[in-house]
Amino acid sequence: MTRPAPVAPAPPAPVVAALRCSVCGGEVALQARTLRCSAGHSFDLARQGYVNLLHATVPKGTADTAAMVAAREAFLRRGFYAPLAHALAARVEPEQDRLVIDAGAGTGYYLTHVLDALPEATGLALDVSAPALKRAARAHPRLGAVVWNLWQPWPVASGVADLVVNVFAPRNADEFRRVLAPGGRLLVAGPGPGHLADLADDLGLLDVGTDKTERLDAALADGFRLVDRADVTDRVTFTPDDVRDVVLMGPNAHHLHRNGLADRLAAVTDPRTTTTTAFTVSVYERLG
């Protein structure tokens, strides 16, 4: 008989203190395995340690599925995006020792690296995907995970974070600014010029756009100052499994049956596919 997985620890106390009830906005406290506010609203912790504060079903095609999460974890474990994780960790400051919020944390891969560089900090992983947060909640002992739609006002108190991390995820500029303390920093990473271009051409993948950096700067112009920007590039060689995982872990997985993408992926057999990984890492400081 298969034994159930052990119950994961509850979110760290600093994470609970920063959270707010998603119904009334009140403070919450942890009672046994349940978050409760003074108005009586309650949210049970999942066995895996995360808590879901959403009140509505996530529309299909919005959140990462269990299959996408499995592909992401397998791919990231092979180290292809480790240079990006290291670049993020290298840009933190020692004084960012309170709360780090990863907006769109996925499995917690990047937040784990950031927390390892900040031994006194606690991390809050926000993501709309419960399958991803099942893994994130166990990724680091100083991490708590909450299911939430990043486009909605976050169930987080104002001014509680020293650092917000945002990697390949929706960018809610108003909430970035609200949850950061004055002088807090925002660390954003996205695809750089030429990212996986060889694969995109061969497989017909979604276009990531060429003006993402300009649009990011414009979105953050009110309330943030750019303090650092760097490109992180590498030339990598993928096996067929690597090719399938890197495609299946991202938004292309929601469009497998568009124009025969699933068939093209299944037909990948070349034992060595060389392509470029390219990321742009930007650091902003909150003004005011």
Side-chain angles (χ1 to χ4, degrees):
M1 187 176 72
T2 303
R3 294 183 178 179
V7 176
V15 169
V16 175
L19 291 176
R20 292 295 180 264
C21 175
S22 58
V23 177
C24 67
E27 296 182 9
V28 296
L30 184 63
Q31 300 175 8
R33 299 280 296 179
T34 300
L35 290 178
R36 297 183 189 277
C37 72
S38 60
H41 304 121
S42 62
F43 309 89
D44 293 335
L45 269 64
R47 171 177 286 274
Q48 297 88 351
Y50 72 93
V51 60
N52 190 338
L53 298 185
L54 281 174
H55 316 293
T57 302
V58 178
K60 187 177 181 180
T62 301
D64 290 351
T65 64
M68 292 169 68
V69 170
R72 177 176 290 113
E73 188 165 67
F75 180 81
L76 293 177
R77 192 185 305 123
R78 299 176 195 129
F80 293 112
Y81 284 10
L84 173 58
H86 296 152
L88 294 167
R91 283 163 174 78
V92 304
E93 303 289 341
E95 60 269 20
Q96 294 163 341
D97 58 359
R98 291 192 305 160
L99 184 67
V100 177
I101 299 177
D102 190 340
T107 61
Y109 176 77
Y110 300 106
L111 181 54
T112 292
H113 282 78
V114 168
L115 289 176
D116 283 344
L118 294 169
E120 302 300 320
T122 306
L124 168 57
L126 294 177
D127 202 285
V128 76
S129 169
L133 292 188
K134 288 178 180 180
R135 304 187 188 228
R138 299 172 182 266
H140 198 283
R142 288 184 277 116
L143 185 158
V146 173
V147 178
W148 191 251
N149 181 349
L150 294 177
W151 290 121
Q152 301 297 319
W154 301 353
V156 179
S158 299
V160 294
D162 290 326
L163 178 66
V164 171
V165 179
N166 179 262
V167 183
F168 289 95
R171 294 158 182 173
N172 189 331
D174 290 340
E175 288 300 278
F176 290 162
R177 190 175 192 281
R178 184 185 65 80
V179 302
L180 278 169
R185 293 200 166 185
L186 169 64
L187 191 54
V188 180
H195 180 61
L196 302 180
D198 308 85
L199 291 185
D201 291 342
D202 291 344
L203 295 174
L205 303 181
L206 294 172
D207 182 13
V208 299
T210 58
D211 60 344
K212 279 185 172 289
T213 300
E214 291 78 7
R215 287 188 281 121
L216 175 63
D217 289 343
L220 297 174
D222 183 15
F224 287 93
R225 176 177 67 93
L226 179 67
V227 296
D228 183 37
R229 172 164 288 150
D231 291 323
V232 180
T233 61
D234 195 12
R235 195 72 176 157
V236 298
T237 300
F238 289 160
T239 67
D241 283 344
D242 298 330
V243 172
R244 280 185 274 274
D245 283 341
V246 77
V247 174
L248 295 175
M249 76 180 195
N252 286 282
H254 293 300
H255 306 278
L256 286 179
H257 300 292
R258 187 194 66 173
N259 300 325
L261 176 57
D263 292 337
R264 292 194 297 277
L265 267 183
V268 173
T269 58
D270 192 330
R272 293 174 59 85
T273 298
T274 301
T275 190
T276 297
T277 58
F279 314 100
T280 299
V281 179
S282 304
V283 184
Y284 299 86
E285 182 176 76
R286 180 193 186 277
L287 303 175

